Amino acid sequence: MKDFLDLAHDIWDFLRVRRKYWLAPLIITIVLMGSMLILTQGTVVAPFIYSIF
């Protein structure tokens, strides 16, 4: 968990220093979609999620 928090902190520092705030919504969306696919991988909801793509 500490490694993940270090990674998130490094990404936030990159966005802040380089003033690339427009990347934040893209990164958040990718993380949310990835976690949704991982969490629902073996459930009944999976066919409905895969039909979205």
Side-chain angles (χ1 to χ4, degrees):
M1 186 68 177
K2 182 167 175 12
D3 293 335
F4 177 74
L5 293 176
D6 288 340
L7 176 67
H9 183 65
D10 288 342
I11 290 173
W12 176 250
D13 284 343
F14 171 78
L15 294 176
R16 188 171 44 91
V17 169
R18 306 266 190 218
R19 296 186 184 265
K20 304 269 187 202
Y21 295 117
W22 58 273
L23 285 174
L26 295 173
I27 293 171
I28 291 170
T29 303
I30 289 170
V31 168
L32 287 176
M33 293 291 243
S35 62
M36 182 176 65
L37 287 173
I38 289 171
L39 291 175
T40 61
Q41 191 169 4
T43 65
V44 182
V45 183
F48 298 110
I49 291 174
Y50 292 125
S51 67
I52 292 173
F53 301 108

